[in-house]
């Protein structure tokens, strides 16, 4: 059956697209739409047209799998032109998400109606692109430059209410009566003498009405979010063209930029990330019909840094949480932090007061371990100490109902050992959140030797429900993320003893695109995590810093000295501490260039990634990319460590590792010698 079908009702032609899962605008859809619209032009029985989609959403955009391949006609621009040129009103009837090319189709229509739950947006910038089928030219003409810049340049969708407010929508219709309400709307507007044609609107894009600083101001005020990305600048230029050039010339400019970006390295990398994130949720080696466990109540043990954030994920998703601590003071502190975090979000307008209260009402704080008994899932986030974890798991096993999942948020320790403390190892799993747990997107799901397929599948589904990007890791010290981080940390420590300054190391990484370098990160987290004053022996830079009370940002000094605005400055004291340690060791320092710093920090991580892959700790190389982008701020526009390694050339990496006396992972060497890559392109 064709993906685009039509039927006539009361003089309105319904053009329905059914192309699961998300009605992407692939060639068959484009051809079907073009044929349906062209055919309607001369049919006297048709007074208006409604474009509608089946399934979960309106068109979610161009078909990304077609990108980078030879173009197949009709082009999406042609389809938009055919819609806009029709001598009868066309109405887009939107549900789900009208994204990218989908919104471009909707903008080419004369009118747009949507259900209250619909979202509309241009996410192209997140794929390293700009809207390529007239979106940058039509949107400003319809909603004005400032709103268009925000939607196109940042890529966040707007909900139906906001879309109506900015006149992107003409009407919000009933949630369950989209088709009939759209037909009624079509019959209403069919009576109008003329219909708005978006590309011909001029009232929102008069050059004299627009402050010429608007464009630079947009880039400046979003500089942090847009750092390192090429596409936002092109988005801004294209929107400016909508003001300064006639429509056909603006379209040409948009097209040029679209093709340039599409063929550039950033968009290729970001498209890899898009598919990698979706592939990461697939579990190798389990049957499709594996059942899952309903999770209706969650328990969290430990209300410290991680426990509170973990609890918030479930509360926000509407799942009740019982939060357990040993002492009242810690419990009260934990609950207060949760409330403070929610209120901070509400003060930025991202939550309503009712939503905050609804979440808080789902929270049951308690000092009674037994209150966890009827939870479907308990996640422990107590101190990182194996003896304590073993004690906790034995107690959980004895207390929590059978059939419930017992999870650990441990950063490094063995899930299998913890599972061994229970009589139900198949129900034990690692759920490793990243700090701050309510913000960071990544969830490493750690599959123990005996973890059942049902438990694993339940947790992957749960991750999706709480808005996390999940990747599966096997059991090893530090799992995927922290195991690779350890390599980087070791090199960073070695480099500052050999002669690089901490700020040189940080600068090299931030220039690459990380939000922070390792020493800035340590100062932020606190240098005293895991440090013990009684056993400290002045043997490492960190030990000496802690001994001198330089614990990081919280004490105003760590590797850096901090001013009253918490801005870090290179510290002479830190340099002196390093120099003393080096002198004691009898070694000499030398000057170390940025290139050496760069290679020594990043290549050993790739090497460790190869070991992780070879040992089967990661299911696939792209999962490693997902972990580092979502958990540690690796710049997504480079594709993640393994994709990036391919682009550097594996042979170059092997050569550098050998020169720096790092033992090369056999898989990396083998791939390099066979001229293979980690990621299949
Ligand atoms: N093209 C091809 N495949 C797509 C796709 C697209 N635009 N959007 C989603 N898919 C695929 C996914 O890869 C996934 O496949 P899988 O099941 O084999 O892994 C499947 O559809 C379902 O996707 P999700 O798991 O993401 O489903 P959700 O329900 O969670 O989310 C969504 C739905 C919000 C539509 C989300 O898929 C999404 O954000 N899609 C991308 C939207 C986008 O970026 N559109 C712009 C494309 S660029 C463009 O239009 C250029 C134009 O200007 C010329
Ligand atoms: P934390 O020290 O902030 O919190 C631990 C909490 O557990 C404390 O409030 C303590 O009172 C409580 N606790 C200890 N024993 C308990 C018991 N028997 N019953 C109830 N509560 C108990 O520690 P944090 O940082 O939250 O770490 C917790 C776990 O999460 C550790 O395993 C850690 O490795 C892991 N983790 C930490 C991350 C971080 O960035 N802090 C990141 C990811 C994982």
């Amino acid at each position: 059956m064709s993906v685009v079908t039509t039927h006539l009702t009361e003089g309105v032609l319904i053009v329905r697209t059914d192309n699961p899962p998300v009605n992407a605008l692939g060639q068959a859809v484009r051809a079907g739409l073009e044929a349906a619209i062209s055919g309607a032009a001369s049919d006297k029985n048709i007074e208006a047209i409604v474009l509608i989609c089946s399934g979960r959403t309106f068109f979610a955009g161009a078909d990304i799998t077609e990108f980078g391949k030879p173009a197949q006609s009709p082009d999406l621009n042609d389809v938009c032109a055919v819609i806009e040129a029709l001598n009868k009103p066309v109405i887009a009837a939107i549900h789900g998400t009208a994204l990218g090319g989908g919104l471009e189709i909707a903008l080419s229509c004369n009118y747009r109606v949507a259900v209250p739950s619909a979202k509309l947006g241009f996410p192209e910038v997140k794929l390293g692109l700009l809207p390529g089928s007239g979106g940058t030219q039509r949107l400003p003409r319809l909603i004005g430059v400032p709103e268009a810049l925000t939607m196109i340049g940042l890529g966040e969708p707007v909900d139906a209410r906001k879309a109506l407010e900015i006149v992107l929508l003409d009407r919000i219709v009933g949630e369950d009566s989209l088709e009939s309400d759209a037909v009624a709307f079509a019959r209403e507007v069919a009576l109008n003498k003329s219909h708005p044609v978006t590309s011909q609107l001029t009232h929102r894009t008069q050059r004299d009405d627009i402050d010429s600083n608007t464009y630079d101001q947009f880039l400046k005020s979003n500089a942090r979010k847009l750092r390192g990305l090429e596409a936002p600048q092109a988005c801004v230029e294209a929107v400016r063209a909508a003001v300064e050039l006639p429509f056909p010339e603006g379209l040409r400019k948009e097209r040029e930029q679209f093709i340039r970006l599409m063929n550039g390295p950033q968009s290729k990398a970001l498209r890899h990330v898009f598919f990698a994130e979706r592939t990461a949720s697939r579990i190798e080696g389990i049957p499709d019909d594996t059942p899952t466990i309903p999770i209706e109540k969650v328990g969290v043990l430990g209300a410290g840094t991680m426990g509170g954030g973990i609890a918030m994920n479930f509360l926000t998703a509407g799942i009740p949480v019982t939060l357990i601590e040993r002492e009242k003071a810690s419990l009260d502190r934990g609950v207060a932090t949760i409330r403070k975090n929610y209120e901070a979000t509400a003060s930025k307008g991202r939550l309503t007061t009712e939503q905050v209260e609804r979440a808080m009402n789902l929270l049951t704080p308690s000092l009674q371990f037994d209150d966890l008994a009827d939870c479907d899932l308990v996640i422990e986030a107590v101190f990182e100490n194996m003896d304590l974890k073993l004690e906790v798991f034995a107690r959980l096993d004895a207390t929590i109902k059978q059939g419930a999942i017992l999870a650990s948020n441990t950063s490094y320790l063995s899930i299998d050992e913890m599972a061994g403390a229970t009589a139900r190892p198949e129900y034990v799993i690692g759920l490793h959140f990243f700090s701050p747990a309510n913000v960071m997107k990544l969830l490493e799901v750690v599959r123990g030797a005996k973890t059942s397929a049902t438990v694993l599948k339940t947790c992957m589904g749960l991750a999706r429900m709480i808005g996390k990007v999940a990747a599966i890791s096997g059991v090893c010290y530090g799992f995927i993320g922290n195991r690779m981080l350890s390599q980087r940390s070791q090199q960073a420590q070695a480099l500052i003893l050999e002669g690089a300054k901490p700020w040189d190391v940080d600068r090299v990484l931030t220039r690459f695109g990380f939000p922070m370098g390792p020493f800035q990160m340590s100062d932020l987290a606190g240098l005293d995590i895991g440090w013990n004053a009684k056993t400290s022996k002045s043997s490492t830079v960190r030990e000496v810093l802690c001994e001198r009370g330089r614990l990081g940002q919280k004490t105003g000094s760590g590797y850096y000295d901090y001013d009253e605005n918490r801005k870090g400055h290179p510290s002479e004291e830190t340099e002196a501490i390093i120099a003393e340690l080096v002198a004691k060791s009898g070694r000499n320092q030398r000057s170390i260039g940025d290139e050496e710093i760069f290679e020594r920090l990043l290549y050993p991580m790739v090497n460790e990634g190869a070991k992780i892959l070879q040992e089967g700790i990661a299911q696939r190389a792209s999962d490693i990319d997902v972990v580092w982008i979502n958990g540690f701020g690796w710049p997504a526009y480079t594709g993640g460590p393994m994709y990036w390694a391919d682009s550097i050339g594996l042979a170059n990496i092997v050569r550098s590792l050998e020169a720096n006396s790092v033992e090369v992972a056999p898989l990396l060497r083998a791939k390099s010698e066979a001229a293979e890559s980690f990621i299949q392109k």
Side-chain angles (χ1 to χ4, degrees):
M1 208 179 84
S2 168
V3 288
V4 180
T5 53
T6 58
H7 84 274
L8 190 63
T9 175
E10 303 170 60
V12 177
L13 185 75
I14 314 271
V15 178
R16 179 173 284 280
T17 301
D18 188 3
N19 183 32
V22 296
N23 291 311
L25 286 151
Q27 193 276 336
V29 177
R30 297 195 302 273
L33 287 174
E34 190 185 51
I37 304 289
S38 310
S42 55
D43 188 335
K44 293 212 169 53
N45 297 317
I46 300 173
E47 292 164 41
I49 294 177
V50 166
L51 296 188
I52 196 164
C53 293
S54 295
R56 62 195 211 225
T57 179
F58 193 71
F59 308 106
D63 187 337
I64 306 170
T65 59
E66 288 183 355
F67 288 4
K69 299 183 184 153
Q72 287 178 291
S73 69
D75 179 43
L76 193 55
N77 256 312
D78 301 338
V79 181
C80 291
V82 169
I83 295 173
E84 214 177 44
L86 193 74
N87 51 356
K88 298 168 186 186
V90 187
I91 294 95
I94 299 168
H95 76 295
T97 42
L99 298 178
L103 183 53
E104 289 175 309
I105 291 271
L107 287 171
S108 310
C109 296
N110 304 95
Y111 305 97
R112 286 148 296 278
V113 302
V115 299
S117 62
K119 291 205 163 109
L120 296 85
F122 278 126
E124 282 89 340
V125 70
K126 296 189 174 176
L127 294 169
L129 296 168
L130 78 172
S133 297
T136 63
Q137 303 307 295
R138 289 192 179 90
L139 191 68
R141 285 176 164 85
L142 185 66
I143 68 170
V145 168
E147 297 286 3
L149 272 179
T150 306
M151 280 185 73
I152 295 171
L154 299 182
E156 293 303 331
V158 294
D159 60 20
R161 191 189 47 78
K162 168 87 178 171
L164 186 69
E165 192 183 300
I166 58 178
V167 208
L168 178 54
L169 281 179
D170 296 286
R171 185 175 293 176
I172 295 181
V173 299
E175 190 69 52
D176 302 316
S177 51
L178 177 62
E179 181 173 327
S180 57
D181 287 357
V183 168
F185 180 87
R187 295 202 54 75
E188 238 175 272
V189 295
L191 302 173
N192 295 349
K193 285 205 187 67
S194 65
H195 307 286
V197 175
T198 315
S199 67
Q200 291 170 14
L201 299 175
T202 52
H203 62 295
R204 307 299 299 266
T205 44
Q206 290 299 324
R207 196 168 181 164
D208 293 345
D209 296 346
I210 294 157
D211 179 351
S212 58
N213 290 322
T214 309
Y215 310 100
D216 285 345
Q217 199 50 46
F218 169 80
L219 288 172
K220 220 162 149 191
S221 57
N222 292 293
R224 242 172 71 111
K225 270 189 215 156
L226 305 179
R227 202 165 69 94
L229 293 166
E230 284 171 9
Q233 179 72 42
C235 291
V236 168
E237 288 309 317
V239 171
R240 186 199 282 268
V243 174
E244 297 180 358
L245 300 176
F247 183 73
E249 278 180 48
L251 265 193
R252 254 197 306 281
K253 183 148 190 158
E254 176 195 88
R255 196 75 210 155
E256 271 165 33
Q257 295 295 327
F258 184 76
I259 289 168
R260 180 180 69 82
L261 291 170
M262 166 83 83
N263 294 325
Q266 289 201 350
S267 178
K268 284 187 186 145
L270 288 164
R271 272 141 48 201
H272 156 71
V273 176
F274 176 85
F275 288 113
E277 288 183 352
R278 281 150 184 85
T279 308
S281 63
R282 296 205 190 111
I283 313 163
E284 302 284 346
I286 71 160
D288 284 349
D289 60 355
T290 302
T292 56
I293 301 167
I295 304 292
E296 281 158 16
K297 189 171 173 194
V298 171
V300 176
L301 188 64
T305 310
M306 294 305 288
I310 292 170
M312 287 178 74
N313 286 296
F314 296 100
L315 298 172
T316 306
I319 302 172
V321 176
T322 302
L323 181 64
I324 305 288
E325 260 291 345
R326 298 171 304 177
E327 288 162 12
K328 189 164 181 324
S330 313
L331 187 61
D332 290 347
R333 206 176 318 123
V335 173
T337 306
I338 294 177
R339 176 170 281 285
K340 195 182 87 204
N341 287 341
Y342 273 130
E343 284 174 352
T345 311
S347 72
K348 290 179 202 141
R350 286 196 263 120
L351 278 181
T352 63
T353 321
E354 296 78 60
Q355 284 170 320
V356 173
E357 292 315 317
R358 204 175 311 143
M360 290 307 292
N361 286 336
L362 290 171
L363 179 66
T364 309
S366 167
L367 296 171
Q368 304 300 322
F369 197 95
D370 291 354
D371 286 348
L372 293 173
D374 64 343
C375 289
D376 304 302
L377 161 71
V378 177
I379 305 170
E380 70 76 17
V382 303
F383 305 128
E384 184 80 337
N385 172 304
M386 188 48 110
D387 290 339
L388 175 61
K389 302 269 190 202
L390 292 178
E391 199 185 303
V392 160
F393 267 83
R395 201 166 168 204
L396 287 172
D397 189 31
T399 313
I400 317 299
K401 69 180 182 190
Q402 287 304 310
I405 301 174
L406 309 181
S408 173
N409 181 50
T410 179
S411 307
Y412 290 95
L413 305 175
S414 167
I415 297 297
D416 290 337
E417 230 179 302
M418 294 177 215
T422 75
R424 49 171 126 169
E426 64 279 18
Y427 284 91
V428 175
I429 194 164
L431 292 179
H432 183 211
F433 290 80
F434 287 71
S435 184
N438 53 317
V439 177
M440 295 299 284
K441 279 281 196 217
L442 179 66
L443 181 64
E444 256 182 339
V445 175
V446 186
R447 180 184 203 166
K450 295 192 175 155
T451 307
S452 76
T454 290
V455 167
L456 195 57
K457 188 170 169 188
T458 302
C459 290
M460 295 306 277
L462 198 62
R464 196 180 164 96
M465 196 153 85
I466 60 174
K468 297 289 181 203
V469 176
I472 296 174
S473 171
V475 176
C476 65
Y477 187 73
F479 316 119
I480 298 173
N482 282 333
R483 180 168 157 182
M484 286 167 69
L485 180 68
S486 298
Q487 294 298 318
R488 194 182 80 175
S489 309
Q490 273 172 33
Q491 290 290 337
Q493 288 298 336
L495 279 162
I496 60 171
L497 293 175
E498 287 171 42
K501 306 278 180 258
W503 24 98
D504 295 333
V505 171
D506 286 343
R507 177 175 40 76
V508 167
L509 284 189
T510 50
R511 196 175 282 168
F512 177 63
F514 277 99
M516 261 182 249
F519 298 107
Q520 290 160 324
M521 210 164 100
S522 300
D523 272 1
L524 181 66
L527 298 184
D528 54 332
I529 295 183
W531 173 75
N532 186 332
K534 291 195 193 106
T535 54
S536 189
K537 291 196 289 287
S538 313
S539 62
T540 63
V541 179
R542 183 183 81 139
E543 278 187 346
V544 181
L545 288 169
C546 286
E547 287 161 17
R548 298 216 190 154
R550 297 181 65 101
L551 305 183
Q553 282 201 19
K554 60 185 171 189
T555 54
S557 64
Y559 285 100
Y560 292 80
D561 293 333
Y562 291 88
D563 62 24
E564 56 285 4
N565 300 317
R566 288 208 159 193
K567 186 171 166 20
H569 300 279
S571 159
E572 281 176 19
E573 188 176 351
T574 301
E575 278 192 52
I577 289 171
I578 295 170
E580 273 166 41
L581 278 170
V582 172
K584 246 201 285 179
S585 72
R587 282 190 294 248
N588 288 321
Q589 289 202 312
R590 63 189 168 91
S591 134
I592 300 183
D594 284 3
E595 199 175 321
E596 181 180 341
I597 296 176
F598 182 79
E599 293 186 6
R600 284 183 55 188
L601 289 174
L602 298 182
Y603 291 0
M605 292 175 63
V606 171
N607 195 42
E608 200 63 25
K611 289 184 192 167
I612 284 170
L613 199 57
Q614 183 160 20
E615 291 167 25
I617 297 295
Q619 296 190 108
R620 40 186 100 79
S622 60
D623 287 9
I624 299 175
D625 292 338
V626 168
V627 164
W628 265 80
I629 288 168
N630 291 288
F632 298 86
W634 184 291
Y637 55 79
T638 70
M642 306 314 275
Y643 178 96
W644 172 78
D646 288 342
S647 70
I648 295 287
L650 302 187
N652 292 329
I653 295 183
V654 168
R655 247 191 316 276
S656 166
L657 289 170
E658 281 171 341
N660 289 309
S661 312
V662 177
E663 191 192 329
V664 177
L667 181 68
L668 174 59
R669 188 182 294 285
K671 281 197 176 288
S672 159
E673 284 170 0
E676 287 175 6
S677 55
F678 284 115
I679 308 289
Q680 306 306 322
K681 307 243 164 47

